[in-house]
Amino acid sequence: MSPYTRPSIAPQVFIDAAGQVIDYGNRWEGSPPTEAYSVTVHPERYAPLHTVAAALIDHLRLTYDVEIDDGPHVVADLLAPPSWEVPRAVRVRPREPDCAGLTFVFTAFPGLLLHAGLLHDFPFPLCGCDACDTPWQREADELEEHVFAVVSGNYSESVGRRDAEAAAWYQVRYPTGSSGGFSNAVPVPAERLAAAEPILRSLPSGWRAWPRRAGAE
């Protein structure tokens, strides 16, 4: 099996009101203008994330010992219903129970919500407004890094306390560093925390790496 390669994406060109090409990712020197917040003039610039996610799903299916569920029912894996319509949702679940599953939820924004393990959702893009000015390439980099951190066993979750309340924590380790935090944007329902806690306690070193499919190198 060949290593994962990001699919080729045709260059995108977007024009502003003055007729100038918008250089996403390099628009602002200093702070963005106030009117750029909460506005996304060209959300379609994130459409390549759907192509990248589909390629990741195909790679995982061909390389690892997994089950694939493709259908609207897997949207229920998310902690909260998405704000946008969902044209596609795919769960990729390793057959080994000690490995974290991944659910890819394609949104009509267009963007992607990635549910990893039991208690965490990761949006790409995180915001997408013009003030944030993130190009799709940067979002795709982070999506790929996150997926392969989970696949390689470099992802852990735990149930702890924050401000005297139960909270879901996570850590992701990358070749160049790590990131982590807790679910605060979308609170985790108490019943999901309770169900996940004994499972995660049995995985003190985090989720295991995914086993490869028989015959995949």
Side-chain angles (χ1 to χ4, degrees), residues 5-210:
T5 301
R6 182 183 296 176
S8 177
I9 306 292
Q12 300 174 302
V13 178
F14 299 104
I15 307 298
D16 64 17
Q20 300 297 312
V21 173
I22 302 173
D23 184 14
Y24 282 112
N26 300 290
R27 298 188 68 187
W28 316 121
E29 293 183 5
S31 300
T34 301
E35 61 269 20
Y37 289 90
S38 301
V39 174
T40 306
V41 175
H42 291 291
E44 67 271 23
R45 73 182 189 266
Y46 292 113
L49 291 176
H50 284 191
T51 304
V52 172
L56 285 165
I57 292 166
D58 286 342
H59 174 77
L60 298 177
R61 175 177 57 83
L62 294 171
T63 308
Y64 298 94
D65 184 19
V66 297
E67 297 177 343
I68 304 289
D69 292 317
D70 192 331
H73 61 287
V74 303
V75 175
D77 291 351
L78 297 176
L79 301 179
S83 301
W84 300 86
E85 292 184 3
V86 175
R88 187 185 182 193
V90 182
R91 178 193 294 136
V92 186
R93 180 169 51 197
R95 298 182 195 277
E96 291 291 336
D98 291 348
C99 302
L102 291 168
T103 303
F104 297 77
V105 177
F106 298 65
T107 70
F109 172 73
L112 191 94
L113 299 171
L114 182 72
H115 179 77
L118 298 177
L119 299 175
H120 292 92
D121 299 339
F122 300 90
F124 302 90
L126 178 61
C127 174
C129 78
D130 286 359
C132 291
D133 190 37
T134 58
W136 74 262
Q137 294 91 336
R138 188 186 308 163
E139 298 294 339
D141 289 343
E142 294 182 2
L143 170 61
E144 291 166 345
E145 286 181 343
H146 201 104
V147 166
F148 287 111
V150 172
V151 167
S152 61
N154 286 300
Y155 176 60
S156 60
E157 299 180 279
S158 62
V159 176
R161 311 294 295 182
R162 178 174 172 80
D163 298 331
E165 298 290 337
W169 297 78
Y170 73 92
Q171 184 178 42
V172 187
R173 297 177 296 279
Y174 308 107
T176 56
S178 64
S179 65
F182 62 95
S183 290
N184 60 343
V186 179
V188 182
E191 62 273 15
R192 292 186 73 163
L193 283 171
E197 188 168 14
I199 298 172
L200 299 178
R201 197 184 307 120
S202 71
L203 301 166
S205 299
W207 295 101
R208 291 178 48 208
W210 290 17

Side-chain angles (χ1 to χ4, degrees), residues 1-5 59 62-63 212 216-217:
M1 177 65 195
S2 299
Y4 167 79
T5 301
H59 174 77
L62 294 171
T63 308
R212 289 184 172 262
E217 297 181 359

